[in-house]
């Protein structure tokens, strides 16, 4: 008999339902806020710059250019937006 063959039986259906309900209730507010902040008017132009830089870098086969500056600017904007609204949604 191997460890994989051992099965744990849970005879209490109420306990299984409670565990499923608890898992369904957990929603990370950060995910939705990141999307809304990333597409906001304040950060949209930085996202466009990042996308243009990525397209430019990906179109070249030999380049030393990276888009780190554009990425940092965009992430800074999103983080700044998140700080204004994230802590209001936490319990």
């Amino acid at each position: 008999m191997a460890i994989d063959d051992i099965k744990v039986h849970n005879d209490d259906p109420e306990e299984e339902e409670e565990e499923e309900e608890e898992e369904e209730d957990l929603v990370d507010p950060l995910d939705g806020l990141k999307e809304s902040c990333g597409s906001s008017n304040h950060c949209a132009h930085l996202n466009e710059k990042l996308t243009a830089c990525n397209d430019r870098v990906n179109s070249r086969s030999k380049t030393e250019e990276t888009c780190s500056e554009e990425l940092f600017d965009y992430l800074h904007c999103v983080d700044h937006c998140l700080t204004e609204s994230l802590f209001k949604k936490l319990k």
Side-chain angles (χ1 to χ4, degrees):
M1 181 188 246
I3 294 176
D4 296 335
D5 295 336
I6 299 173
K7 294 182 181 178
V8 176
H9 295 283
N10 188 357
D11 295 331
D12 190 8
E14 291 180 13
E15 188 174 316
E16 287 180 11
E17 291 177 13
E18 290 176 8
E19 288 177 10
E20 290 176 9
E21 289 177 7
E22 289 177 9
E23 290 177 10
E24 292 174 7
D25 292 340
L26 298 178
V27 177
D28 189 3
L30 184 64
D31 295 336
L33 290 174
K34 275 186 181 179
E35 289 180 22
S36 63
C37 284
S39 60
S40 68
N41 290 335
H42 186 67
C43 298
H45 70 284
L46 294 172
N47 189 19
E48 291 172 8
K49 285 183 180 181
L50 177 61
T51 303
C53 181
N54 281 331
D55 292 341
R56 184 175 60 249
V57 169
N58 290 333
S59 68
R60 298 179 184 162
S61 60
K62 295 182 180 179
T63 183
E64 293 182 12
E65 181 182 12
T66 61
C67 300
S68 59
E69 182 179 348
E70 290 83 355
L71 177 63
F72 292 151
D73 290 342
Y74 174 70
L75 292 176
H76 177 76
C77 181
V78 171
D79 287 344
H80 182 73
C81 175
L82 285 173
T83 59
E84 295 174 358
S85 55
L86 177 63
F87 291 105
K88 294 176 186 174
K89 296 190 180 250
L90 296 176
K91 291 181 179 180

